[in-house]
């Protein structure tokens, strides 16, 4: 990466740090995506913003932050807010300036995550064929086998890194199998996915360069796979998407590989963080793990609370499509709005005692998988993988104890999770709930 580009990102960091400091002085609250304090405890910042104003304008990011649970749900249902930046020529011009033709093609054919109806509706309808509830539930035996194969790698070890052994490989293997991708490529998919996620909410030029390389590699890879599967179609998700395209649904090739790219990354990263974040909560809160171990029927309920309390995705974004008075705040067309999942999940108006982790909470209100038309297409798969992961962890290890109660949460303001989660297992570990 050229020095001028490094300097550009360094100047961007200096600007955001400076404006965040000014904003803190003026308003008493600021959310700086480069702040180490934010990475360690984002909920403090989101709650402060909600208390000051549930619709807060960030001088540093030149965008609004919405932290009210009801307001977030309302925006996600409101067609005056959209996900597609291509509605705004000025923003498009800044984004596409000096990018090469391949990246421009990808930008002009975004995944359904960044689309609005009717394009979003069409692509989601096609992709959803691979996520029918009955089919997802039929994957349970295979997922259970994958979980145990992953855990076998930690056999004979007293300390196991659950992130490396289980949380990372499991979802990558499952979604790659669903797409019909070769097993020998699974490790590479995981690396590409991690590099892409690391390239968000950062000004580190090395991470940005790796993210760019990963993006190009994935596009090239899916182009090759799609060519092969056109000649030799199989009964997998890519095969079904190809058949739908050929039946006249006008799914372009760029839309096809961008959809595959999204499913691979979203299916991997969200579940990886859900498993590790959830286990961390169980191991650091007295009695919780023992309670679930004694009554595994509580695991699905606990997973919803994990999603609420430590959501893997901390925020999503929308653009204002027309001038609107939103609860007294005048929003102009083209303005950017961040919807705080971290803040809304802990809104006391939605959940009682929101800063208390309670895996037996009977009614959990959360927007961790989104809401409305963009509700996560893989939510049922993520829940299934996480449930099976916990069931097999409890069976395999009669005792577990976390090694470091203050592990590194990463440096990403939009994706929250552990880089490592070392757990002492076996007879020499202390019974987790009691020791905590």
């Amino acid at each position: 990466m050229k020095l001028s580009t490094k300097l550009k990102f360094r100047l961007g960091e200096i600007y955001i740090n400076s404006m965040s400091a000014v904003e803190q002085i003026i308003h008493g609250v600021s959310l700086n995506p480069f702040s180490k304090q934010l990475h360690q405890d984002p909920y403090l910042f989101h709650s402060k913003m909600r208390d000051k104003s549930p619709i807060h304008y960030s001088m540093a990011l030149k965008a609004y932050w919405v932290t009210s649970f009801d307001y977030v749900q309302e925006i996600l249902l409101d067609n005056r807010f959209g996900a597609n930046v291509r509605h705004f020529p000025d923003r498009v011009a800044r984004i596409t300036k000096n990018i090469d033709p391949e990246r421009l093609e990808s930008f002009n054919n975004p995944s359904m995550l960044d689309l609005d109806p009717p394009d979003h509706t069409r692509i989601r309808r096609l992709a959803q064929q691979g996520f029918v509830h009955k089919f997802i539930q039929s994957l349970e035996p295979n997922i259970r086998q994958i979980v145990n194969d992953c855990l076998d790698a930690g056999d004979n070890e007293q300390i196991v890194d659950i992130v490396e052994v289980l949380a990372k490989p499991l979802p990558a293997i499952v979604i790659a199998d669903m797409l019909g991708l070769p097993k020998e490529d699974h490790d590479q998919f995981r690396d590409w996915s991690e590099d892409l996620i690391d390239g968000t909410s950062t000004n580190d030029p090395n991470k940005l360069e790796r993210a760019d390389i990963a993006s190009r590699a994935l596009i090239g890879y899916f182009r090759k796979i799609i060519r092969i599967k056109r000649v030799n179609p199989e009964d997998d998700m890519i095969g079904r998407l190809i058949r739908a395209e050929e039946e006249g649904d006008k799914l372009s090739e760029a839309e096809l590989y961008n959809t595959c790219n999204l499913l691979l990354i979203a299916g991997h990263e969200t579940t990886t963080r859900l498993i590790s974040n959830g286990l961390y909560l169980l191991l650091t809160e007295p009695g919780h793990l023992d309670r679930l171990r004694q009554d595994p029927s509580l695991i699905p309920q606990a997973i919803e609370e994990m999603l609420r309390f430590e959501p893997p995705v901390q925020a999503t974004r929308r653009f204002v499509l027309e001038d609107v008075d939103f609860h007294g705040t005048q929003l102009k067309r083209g303005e950017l709005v961040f919807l705080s999942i971290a803040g809304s999940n802990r809104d006391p108006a939605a959940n009682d005692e929101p800063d208390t982790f309670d895996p037996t909470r009977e009614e959990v209100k959360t927007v961790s998988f989104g809401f409305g038309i963009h509700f996560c297409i893989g939510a049922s798969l993520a829940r299934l993988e996480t449930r099976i992961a916990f069931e097999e962890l409890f069976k395999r290890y009669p005792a577990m104890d976390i090694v470091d109660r203050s592990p590194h949460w990463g440096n990403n303001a939009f994706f929250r999770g552990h880089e490592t989660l070392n757990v002492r297992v076996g007879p020499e570990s202390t019974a987790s709930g009691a020791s905590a």
Side-chain angles (χ1 to χ4, degrees):
M1 185 172 285
K2 295 180 181 179
L3 179 61
S4 59
T5 305
K6 292 182 180 182
L7 179 60
K8 174 182 175 182
F9 284 108
R10 177 57 183 155
L11 291 174
E13 181 182 11
I14 293 172
Y15 171 80
I16 289 177
N17 286 338
S18 301
M19 293 306 297
S20 292
V22 172
E23 188 178 342
Q24 180 69 39
I25 294 171
I26 296 175
H27 298 290
V29 62
S30 176
L31 193 151
N32 181 351
F34 300 119
S35 165
K36 292 181 179 179
Q37 290 80 10
L38 174 71
H39 301 152
Q40 189 62 30
D41 184 7
Y43 308 103
L44 175 64
F45 293 85
H46 289 271
S47 293
K48 281 185 176 180
M49 283 199 301
R50 187 181 57 249
D51 292 343
K52 286 282 185 180
S53 172
I55 309 171
H56 173 79
Y57 183 76
S58 168
M59 299 168 61
L61 299 179
K62 298 180 181 178
Y64 287 91
W65 278 94
V66 179
T67 47
S68 158
F69 185 86
D70 289 341
Y71 289 1
V72 166
Q73 284 196 328
E74 187 176 340
I75 289 175
L76 290 173
L77 290 176
D78 194 329
N79 59 15
R80 295 174 298 177
F81 299 86
N84 193 347
V85 69
R86 295 182 303 157
H87 293 299
F88 311 104
D90 289 345
R91 286 188 179 273
V92 169
R94 290 195 297 270
I95 294 170
T96 58
K97 185 179 180 180
N98 299 325
I99 70 172
D100 58 70
E102 185 174 62
R103 291 177 62 196
L104 181 61
E105 181 186 18
S106 180
F107 174 83
N108 287 329
N109 295 275
S111 72
M112 57 185 161
L113 185 68
D114 295 318
L115 286 174
D116 302 316
D119 292 328
H120 170 270
T121 308
R122 174 175 56 87
I123 295 177
R124 184 182 175 97
R125 184 178 65 248
L126 295 171
Q128 202 159 339
Q129 297 176 24
F131 290 90
V132 176
H133 181 74
K134 184 177 180 181
F135 170 70
I136 294 299
Q137 298 310 307
S138 74
L139 299 175
E140 179 163 344
N142 185 49
I143 293 174
R144 200 171 294 278
Q145 182 61 56
I146 294 171
V147 169
N148 280 292
D149 289 344
C150 290
L151 292 177
D152 286 345
D155 278 355
N156 303 317
E157 299 291 337
Q158 291 185 357
I159 296 178
V160 176
D161 181 356
I162 296 298
V163 172
E164 189 64 29
V165 168
L166 178 63
K168 280 185 178 180
L170 169 63
I173 293 170
V174 171
I175 195 65
D177 282 348
M178 290 176 65
L179 289 168
L181 306 179
K183 293 185 184 300
E184 59 268 24
D185 294 340
H186 289 179
D187 288 344
Q188 181 63 75
F189 299 142
R190 186 179 70 184
D191 292 342
W192 283 333
S193 175
E194 291 168 11
D195 285 345
L196 281 172
I197 292 295
D198 284 346
T200 63
S201 186
T202 183
N203 66 337
D204 184 329
N206 294 321
K207 289 184 177 181
L208 290 165
E209 186 171 24
R210 288 198 301 271
D212 184 57
I213 292 170
S215 176
R216 296 170 188 272
L218 273 169
I219 289 173
Y221 178 81
F222 278 122
R223 279 177 172 162
K224 179 176 123 179
I225 287 291
I226 289 166
R227 282 198 299 269
I228 293 172
K229 288 184 179 290
R230 284 190 191 281
V231 178
N232 299 295
E234 298 179 31
D235 188 24
D236 51 41
M237 191 178 296
I238 292 179
R240 288 192 289 274
L241 288 172
I242 289 173
R243 285 195 295 274
E245 178 189 353
E246 291 174 346
E247 288 165 5
D249 219 329
K250 299 181 180 179
L251 188 67
S252 71
E253 184 163 310
E255 289 173 336
L256 185 55
Y257 57 68
N258 278 342
T259 298
C260 293
N261 197 356
L262 170 65
L263 294 175
L264 177 65
I265 297 168
H268 171 203
E269 291 297 335
T270 303
T271 309
T272 291
R273 287 165 169 76
L274 175 55
I275 292 171
S276 58
N277 292 1
L279 184 60
Y280 171 79
L281 291 171
L282 294 179
L283 291 172
T284 53
E285 295 284 343
H288 289 333
L289 187 143
D290 289 340
R291 190 175 296 117
L292 297 189
R293 191 192 294 279
Q294 293 163 12
D295 186 1
S297 68
L298 294 174
I299 293 176
Q301 188 175 338
I303 290 171
E304 299 309 302
E305 177 71 345
M306 294 166 188
L307 284 163
R308 182 195 72 82
F309 196 79
E310 283 289 3
V313 180
Q314 296 274 293
T316 187
R317 71 176 188 180
R318 290 294 182 270
F319 297 96
V320 184
L321 299 181
E322 60 183 72
D323 293 355
V324 56
D325 180 339
F326 189 74
H327 294 277
T329 299
Q330 306 303 314
L331 302 176
K332 300 296 184 182
R333 171 179 163 79
E335 288 185 312
L336 176 61
V337 179
F338 287 110
L339 308 179
S340 170
I341 295 171
S344 58
N345 281 357
R346 296 207 188 186
D347 186 344
N351 294 287
D352 293 334
E353 299 184 17
D355 294 320
T356 298
F357 173 67
D358 179 7
T360 63
R361 189 185 294 267
E362 292 186 359
E363 183 180 2
V364 180
K365 292 184 178 179
T366 172
V367 287
S368 295
F369 281 129
F371 193 68
I373 63 171
H374 283 276
F375 184 80
C376 178
I377 196 172
S380 61
L381 177 61
R383 288 175 169 128
L384 178 64
E385 290 178 80
T386 305
R387 173 175 66 80
I388 295 171
F390 284 128
E391 288 174 350
E392 295 305 315
L393 278 168
F394 296 164
K395 289 178 186 176
R396 171 123 2 179
Y397 304 126
M400 290 187 284
D401 189 33
I402 193 165
V403 174
D404 181 2
R405 295 184 182 276
S406 300
H408 182 49
W409 280 97
N411 300 319
N412 198 308
F414 289 87
F415 298 92
R416 181 162 171 82
H418 301 287
E419 295 180 355
T420 61
L421 189 66
N422 290 314
V423 175
R424 186 175 292 104
V425 300
E428 294 189 11
S429 65
T430 55
S432 58
S435 67

